[in-house]
Amino acid sequence: MSKSILLVSFMVVQLIASAQPLLLSKQSIIPKPVSVVDAKGSFNLTEKSIIYYEGESPEIQQVGNYLASKLNPSTRFGIVVRSNSVAQTPGNIYLSLKPGDAQLGDEGYQLVISKETVILTANKPSGLFNGVQTLRQLFPANIESAVPQEGSWEIPAGTVRDFPEYAFRGVMLDVARHFFQVSDVKRTIDLMAAYKMNVMHLHLSDDQGWRIEIKKWPKLTAIGGITQVDGEKGGFYTQDQYVEIVKYAAERQVMIIPEIDMPGHTNAALASYPELNCNDRAPELYTGTKVGFSTLCTSKEITYQFIKDVFSELAAITPGPYLHIGGDESHATKIEDYLPFEVKVQEIVASTGKQVIGWDEIALSTMKPNTVVQFWAKAENAQKGVKQGAKVIMSPAAKAYVDMQYHAKTKLGLHWAGYVEVDTGYNWDPATLVPGIGRENILGIEAPLWSETITNMDEIEYMVFPRLPGYAEIGWSTPASRNWNEYKVRLGNHADRFKAMQIDYYPSKLVPWLGSSKK
Ligand code: TNX
């Protein structure tokens, strides 16, 4: 075939493709919505479009502002956000709270797109926020660009009704092994929120570093915060910075859960205050990556005063209901000391008005009625928790640990729990993974990023993407609606979005990345 015939046939194919109507049901929305119904035509966003929100609620206005901040940089439309009580007029986006749609629950939304308008309704602002994430994904991918783009900003008409399977959909960032700046935490929150994840668990202390200012115990950060793995310079968040993170997260409907790991994983605290050690001697700061060698002195009164001070200060700056007490891998604590210790710590946290989360080992102890167990390693621990009535957060290391390497040649990460390729991360159901732990026992899922080998934002992105959208879908979509072969195509279609968002993702060979065949 001559070159010109090839070119003509290529153009014909392109023409046919562009003549196909855009269909809402054919869009690659992640997580997969509960229901999508097509309608005729499409909505076109223009420089005249306005985002109207109903009522005077600052929270709805905030969702409107957030949407505008996502649409304006790329389109240059300068779309404004206004409160509205008048009739709907064509060309605009409407956000409103319509309580009473029981099926949608707290986080669900309904998005009705017609040629004339986009109407987003929900029971709560968090539902509107989730609807906005769907709306973002319906625009061409370069809507996500931070710099002006050419294009027509058209989205297919139809109705999405959508709500989550689980209320708790989280990511954990270990800021102790390597410290990450406030800006990195914020970017991670932005990226997870784009996929409707709503919990950021911060692992704020470990052997290698103490990362949160505690006013009554200033040496925790003055000494315990100065270094990190490999002996590099560490860091910590002041309480003001922590409050800034909490606020930033809340504006994105993300709850912050702070973790202070104990009685093990405490070398940084023990090095800062000799009195927390049974022998009154402070160990050296630790910059390696071993686990299981440190313990608070469980027989001293001062230890419990310390714990009370730390959790009281944290409770005062944490609006969410949870404080995480760690409790994992306390190999240097005798079991007869560990068990009563966990009971006391639960009592201390309860006295601050907060609810406890702990790694699955804490279920060996007696649990308070509302203590939550985070399953990571031992099924029998989590089962013990459930037998005591506890709810479970599912973070099975072999499926959900995003510090696990994708494969043997991945330059970052560990592999003690195995390799977690993108399909392995996606292909599991929290409700059937562990015998005796069913849907009714599960609060949700969390993907932890431990940072022994992770040192900067690019590396966070590489380990978290493209696995995160899969965890988001496990948390949000029904098990019956999930299927790897169908999901991987949708995920591949997010390549352009990742690029527009400048996400440095791992281009797994298992995923048919959009445009990769042309390279
Ligand atoms: C186990 S998961 C740990 C962490 C390590 C992680 C590395 C858990 C509760 N404890 O201390 O960082 O493995 O993958």
Side-chain angles (χ1 to χ4, degrees), residues 140-452:
N142 54 351
I143 195 88
E144 296 295 340
S145 174
V147 291
Q149 302 288 311
E150 293 307 321
S152 100
W153 307 104
E154 215 184 321
I155 57 176
T159 298
V160 181
R161 275 182 66 81
D162 199 13
F163 48 88
E165 177 77 2
Y166 292 101
F168 188 114
R169 304 175 304 280
V171 169
M172 189 206 81
L173 203 54
D174 171 8
V175 298
R177 272 53 176 273
H178 281 99
F179 181 66
F180 298 99
Q181 301 300 325
V182 172
S183 55
D184 294 337
V185 179
K186 286 183 176 174
R187 174 156 166 85
T188 309
I189 290 170
D190 274 327
L191 298 180
M192 57 181 271
Y195 290 93
K196 305 187 178 80
M197 293 187 99
N198 62 358
V199 176
M200 167 59 87
H201 164 187
L202 291 173
H203 183 75
L204 290 168
S205 69
D206 212 301
D207 291 318
Q208 298 85 347
W210 186 283
R211 308 299 182 203
I212 179 75
E213 173 189 22
I214 301 296
K215 301 204 178 191
K216 284 199 178 149
W217 296 75
K219 285 196 262 174
L220 289 170
T221 45
I223 296 173
I226 59 176
T227 187
Q228 60 180 1
V229 166
D230 293 335
E232 292 152 35
K233 186 172 166 289
F236 66 93
Y237 309 122
T238 63
Q239 292 198 4
D240 284 349
Q241 286 175 316
Y242 178 87
V243 167
E244 183 187 329
I245 291 171
V246 165
K247 179 168 175 278
Y248 189 88
E251 286 166 3
R252 286 153 187 77
Q253 301 296 332
V254 170
M255 157 170 80
I256 297 291
I257 299 179
E259 176 187 354
I260 300 296
D261 203 348
M262 59 181 67
H265 290 281
T266 43
N267 191 77
L270 297 166
S272 307
Y273 286 98
E275 57 268 45
L276 297 176
N277 298 269
C278 282
N279 64 5
D280 287 317
R281 279 207 297 271
E284 297 284 299
L285 290 168
Y286 182 68
T287 60
T289 59
K290 288 197 192 111
V291 298
F293 61 89
S294 57
T295 182
L296 293 173
C297 186
T298 58
S299 59
K300 281 184 164 182
E301 240 351 272
I302 186 79
T303 297
Y304 299 97
Q305 188 57 50
F306 163 77
I307 295 169
K308 187 162 176 58
D309 291 342
V310 168
F311 281 128
S312 300
E313 290 193 26
L314 269 177
I317 53 175
T318 304
Y322 300 110
L323 298 179
H324 199 304
I325 63 171
D328 58 313
E329 299 172 318
S330 259
H331 308 316
T333 322
K334 289 198 193 102
I335 189 76
E336 59 268 33
D337 297 333
Y338 178 84
L339 299 178
F341 175 87
E342 293 302 341
V343 172
K344 280 194 193 173
V345 177
Q346 290 180 77
E347 280 162 5
I348 292 171
V349 170
S351 77
T352 71
K354 299 292 183 185
Q355 205 174 326
V356 170
I357 305 178
W359 297 109
D360 59 47
E361 289 94 324
I362 69 159
L364 297 170
S365 171
T366 307
M367 319 230 350
K368 285 216 158 268
N370 65 0
T371 293
V372 173
V373 171
Q374 185 164 9
F375 168 61
W376 68 280
K378 271 208 177 156
E380 60 183 89
N381 290 347
Q383 287 159 335
K384 278 197 177 111
V386 166
K387 285 206 186 98
Q388 295 191 60
K391 290 268 191 281
V392 182
I393 297 164
M394 298 297 281
S395 300
K399 300 281 184 193
Y401 266 30
V402 281
D403 65 315
M404 290 300 119
Q405 293 170 291
Y406 292 100
H407 53 73
K409 294 206 172 109
T410 308
K411 292 208 174 69
L412 305 163
L414 309 172
H415 56 256
W416 64 263
Y419 299 109
V420 181
E421 245 299 352
V422 185
D423 58 343
T424 306
Y426 180 82
N427 263 329
W428 60 286
D429 176 6
T432 56
L433 191 73
V434 180
I437 303 183
R439 173 70 189 83
E440 67 282 8
N441 311 116
I442 298 173
L443 213 54
I445 79 155
E446 183 184 292
L449 181 62
W450 299 98
S451 65
E452 286 94 332

Side-chain angles (χ1 to χ4, degrees), residues 23-241:
L23 283 182
L24 189 61
S25 59
K26 293 282 186 309
Q27 304 304 303
S28 294
I29 303 167
I30 301 176
K32 195 182 174 95
V34 172
S35 105
V36 180
V37 177
D38 292 320
K40 275 214 180 99
S42 57
F43 174 85
N44 206 1
L45 189 79
T46 70
E47 64 271 309
K48 293 202 192 104
S49 299
I50 294 172
I51 298 169
Y52 282 109
Y53 65 97
E54 203 171 11
E56 297 296 331
S57 152
E59 261 189 296
I60 316 181
Q61 185 181 11
Q62 207 171 68
V63 177
N65 290 342
Y66 175 90
L67 175 57
S69 79
K70 294 294 169 196
L71 302 179
N72 281 331
S74 52
T75 63
R76 278 174 301 174
F77 287 162
I79 293 168
V80 294
V81 180
R82 288 195 192 139
S83 167
N84 138 68
S85 50
V86 291
Q88 282 156 356
T89 47
N92 301 326
I93 299 175
Y94 292 85
L95 311 178
S96 69
L97 289 187
K98 284 239 165 60
D101 192 332
Q103 191 193 31
L104 297 183
D106 284 355
E107 288 196 277
Y109 64 91
Q110 176 172 289
L111 181 62
V112 180
I113 302 157
S114 68
K115 272 186 239 166
E116 289 79 29
T117 53
V118 172
I119 301 173
L120 177 58
T121 53
N123 291 317
K124 296 266 173 73
S126 53
L128 292 178
F129 184 84
N130 288 325
V132 161
Q133 306 317 314
T134 298
L135 187 55
R136 281 170 74 180
Q137 291 187 16
L138 296 176
F139 284 104
N142 54 351
I143 195 88
E144 296 295 340
S145 174
V147 291
Q149 302 288 311
E150 293 307 321
S152 100
W153 307 104
E154 215 184 321
I155 57 176
T159 298
V160 181
R161 275 182 66 81
D162 199 13
F163 48 88
E165 177 77 2
Y166 292 101
F168 188 114
R169 304 175 304 280
V171 169
M172 189 206 81
L173 203 54
D174 171 8
V175 298
R177 272 53 176 273
H178 281 99
F179 181 66
F180 298 99
Q181 301 300 325
V182 172
S183 55
D184 294 337
V185 179
K186 286 183 176 174
R187 174 156 166 85
T188 309
I189 290 170
D190 274 327
L191 298 180
M192 57 181 271
Y195 290 93
K196 305 187 178 80
M197 293 187 99
N198 62 358
V199 176
M200 167 59 87
H201 164 187
L202 291 173
H203 183 75
L204 290 168
S205 69
D206 212 301
D207 291 318
Q208 298 85 347
W210 186 283
R211 308 299 182 203
I212 179 75
E213 173 189 22
I214 301 296
K215 301 204 178 191
K216 284 199 178 149
W217 296 75
K219 285 196 262 174
L220 289 170
T221 45
I223 296 173
I226 59 176
T227 187
Q228 60 180 1
V229 166
D230 293 335
E232 292 152 35
K233 186 172 166 289
F236 66 93
Y237 309 122
T238 63
Q239 292 198 4
D240 284 349
Q241 286 175 316

